Amino acid sequence: PRAAGPARPSAPQPDGAFSVNRVSLAPQAGTMQRVDIQIPVALVRHFVGNRGATVRALTDACGGGVSINVLPTVLPGGFKRIQVVGENWYAAQRLILAKLEELRLSCW
C-alpha cells in the first residue's frame, strides 16, 4: 500500500484549445477525483452563464455528485481554471469540454 501523500497532478492533457489537468486525491477521499481545465478568460462569462445558469445546468446534467468552480486567475489575462471535484467528475469533464467547444466555435 502506498502512503497517503499530497495530491499529485498528472501532466496537462491538451484537449483542443483547452488544457486538462487530472489530479488524484488522497485515498481517504474515496473515489473523489479533481480535474482542472484551463480556459481563456474571454470564455469565462459565456461558460458561467447568466447568474451561473450554465454551471448549474452542467451540474444537474451529471446527476449531482460534482462541484464545478471557476477559480480566480493567478496572473492577469490569459487563462482561468475550471475545477471539477466529485464522484461524477468524468461525466462533468465531458460535458464541460463539449460546452467549451460549442462556445469556442460560436464566440471566436
Side-chain angles (χ1 to χ4, degrees):
R2 283 180 40 190
R8 277 183 247 129
S10 62
Q13 303 168 357
D15 197 301
F18 312 106
S19 174
V20 178
N21 188 22
R22 187 167 296 118
V23 177
S24 295
L25 300 180
Q28 61 267 29
T31 59
M32 299 266 286
Q33 293 277 328
R34 184 180 94 203
V35 175
D36 294 342
I37 302 169
Q38 285 188 348
I39 66 168
V41 171
L43 285 184
V44 172
R45 68 186 180 104
H46 301 290
F47 173 75
V48 172
N50 188 22
R51 297 185 180 193
T54 304
V55 172
R56 278 194 306 277
L58 291 168
T59 302
D60 293 344
C62 294
V66 69
S67 174
I68 301 171
N69 299 298
V70 178
L71 303 178
T73 52
V74 176
L75 299 171
F79 293 89
K80 279 201 173 224
R81 285 186 309 148
I82 299 171
Q83 186 178 72
V84 182
V85 181
E87 294 174 5
N88 291 335
W89 68 271
Y90 186 74
Q93 174 187 309
R94 290 184 58 204
L95 291 172
I96 289 168
L97 290 174
K99 182 64 177 178
L100 290 173
E101 185 61 22
E102 174 190 320
L103 291 172
R104 186 179 70 82
L105 294 173
S106 65
C107 295
W108 286 349

